[in-house]
């Protein structure tokens, strides 16, 4: 009989710690960055700052799943299933609202572009006057990489955090996973409860649909500085992270 190439042996706590350490520890849901690129809507393109602000204000996000819809078949014997189509789950983002309420107004205007209030006609999604855009969600590294200089690492390879040279290097955060949502647009701005006994900040939950998501393997073209709203740690998204 063939030997099992993955026997469940040596299942010890130390072995588990080694497995986790090999991957730089566990991934943390608080380490994320969201970027919504402005759709080609003149009314929404005038204030580029608010699109940057949404990255700071996005309090909760998610990495949606993908599933196959199946057909049941039977030729002879038991039934079996074959994939027939693919379905992508919607994307839900939650934003903190500031006192001037610009976030709610922005998504109201976006929804109004899809279907102007007072009409029953929907505008075209694509084209120069369309309302779809690209949304990106980055899962950030918890450990990060040390910046590499030729004087300390002539090979140009990243210096691991455990390397003694790390103490003389600057640490930069990089994304380890990236989802790019193509032709995305909001389909629901959820209700915002009001209460005289609630003194907390208001939240805005927005549900987006899109055509598909990809992992964004291509190199990132631009660089920008962001702050994770849950940690306040400055994060730099590198072109090759």
């Amino acid at each position: 009989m063939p030997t099992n190439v993955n026997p469940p042996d040596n299942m010890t706590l130390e072995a588990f710690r080694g497995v986790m350490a090999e991957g730089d520890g566990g991934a943390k849901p608080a380490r994320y960055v969201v970027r919504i690129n402005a759709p080609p809507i003149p009314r929404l393109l005038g204030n580029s700052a608010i699109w940057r602000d949404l990255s700071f204000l996005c309090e909760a996000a998610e990495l949606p799943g993908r599933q196959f819809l199946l057909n049941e078949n039977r030729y002879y014997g038991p039934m079996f299933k074959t994939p027939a189509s693919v379905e992508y789950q919607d994307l839900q983002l939650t934003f903190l609202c500031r006192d001037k309420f610009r976030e709610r107004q922005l998504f109201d205007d976006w929804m109004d572009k899809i279907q102007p209030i007072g009409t029953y006609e929907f505008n075209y999604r694509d084209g120069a006057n369309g309302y779809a855009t690209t949304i990106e969600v980055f899962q950030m590294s918890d450990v990060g990489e040390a910046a590499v200089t030729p004087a300390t690492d002539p090979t140009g390879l990243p210096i691991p955090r455990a390397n003694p040279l790390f103490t003389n290097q600057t640490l930069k955060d990089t994304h380890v996973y990236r989802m790019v949502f193509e032709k995305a647009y909001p389909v629901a701005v959820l209700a915002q409860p009001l209460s005289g006994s609630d003194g907390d900040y208001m939240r805005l939950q927005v549900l987006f649909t899109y055509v598909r998501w990809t992992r964004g393997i291509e190199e990132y073209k631009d660089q920008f500085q962001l702050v994770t709203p849950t940690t306040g740690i400055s994060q730099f998204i590198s072109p090759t992270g």
Side-chain angles (χ1 to χ4, degrees):
M1 297 179 60
T3 304
N4 191 337
V5 297
N6 187 27
D9 57 2
N10 195 27
M11 299 292 290
T12 65
L13 181 58
E14 289 302 317
F16 171 75
R17 289 173 177 169
V19 169
M20 294 297 290
E22 187 177 357
D24 291 330
K28 296 180 180 178
R31 301 285 289 167
Y32 69 92
V33 174
V34 173
R35 179 158 96 165
I36 302 177
N37 298 289
I41 303 173
R43 185 176 178 179
L44 301 182
L45 289 173
N47 184 5
S48 60
I50 193 169
W51 298 100
R52 177 208 61 196
D53 295 348
L54 290 178
S55 295
F56 290 85
L57 299 171
C58 187
E59 184 188 48
E62 58 188 1
L63 300 175
R66 177 182 66 166
Q67 70 177 31
F68 296 125
L69 303 180
L70 306 175
N71 283 337
E72 290 191 346
N73 306 275
R74 181 179 181 275
Y75 300 137
Y76 183 77
M79 299 286 294
F80 64 93
K81 298 177 180 180
T82 55
S85 60
V86 64
E87 181 178 65
Y88 292 88
Q89 298 176 354
D90 289 338
L91 169 68
Q92 181 167 305
L93 303 178
T94 302
F95 302 93
L96 290 170
C97 282
R98 296 172 290 184
D99 195 49
K100 293 186 177 180
F101 228 49
R102 291 171 178 164
E103 298 72 39
R104 177 62 188 255
Q105 296 177 49
L106 173 73
F107 286 104
D108 284 346
D109 291 342
W110 197 347
M111 296 281 283
D112 195 47
K113 173 62 178 179
I114 299 172
Q115 184 198 47
I117 293 178
T119 74
Y120 295 98
E121 296 181 1
F122 288 93
N123 287 319
Y124 290 103
R125 181 194 66 185
D126 303 323
N129 296 318
Y131 50 78
T133 188
T134 300
I135 299 176
E136 296 156 289
V137 177
F138 300 87
Q139 175 65 34
M140 305 301 292
S141 163
D142 189 44
V143 175
E145 292 181 348
V148 178
T149 60
T152 57
D153 189 21
T155 65
L157 296 175
I159 302 175
R161 188 175 185 137
N163 192 299
L165 294 175
F166 172 76
T167 55
N168 299 321
Q169 302 296 313
T170 58
L171 182 66
K172 68 175 183 179
D173 289 333
T174 57
H175 69 275
V176 294
Y177 192 84
R178 172 181 171 219
M179 273 190 174
V180 180
F181 302 88
E182 301 176 1
K183 297 184 179 181
Y185 59 91
V187 293
V189 176
L190 304 187
Q192 294 179 279
L194 302 174
S195 172
S197 61
D198 190 353
D200 197 4
Y201 294 134
M202 292 185 67
R203 270 77 173 174
L204 178 66
Q205 293 179 305
V206 183
L207 190 67
F208 294 86
T209 190
Y210 52 93
V211 173
R212 65 171 185 170
W213 58 256
T214 63
R215 288 171 54 185
I217 300 174
E218 71 280 1
E219 287 192 359
Y220 211 52
K221 302 301 181 183
D222 56 336
Q223 305 173 356
F224 60 102
Q225 193 89 13
L226 289 177
V227 174
T228 304
T230 52
T231 63
I233 299 175
S234 177
Q235 295 189 335
F236 176 79
I237 295 180
S238 72
T240 58

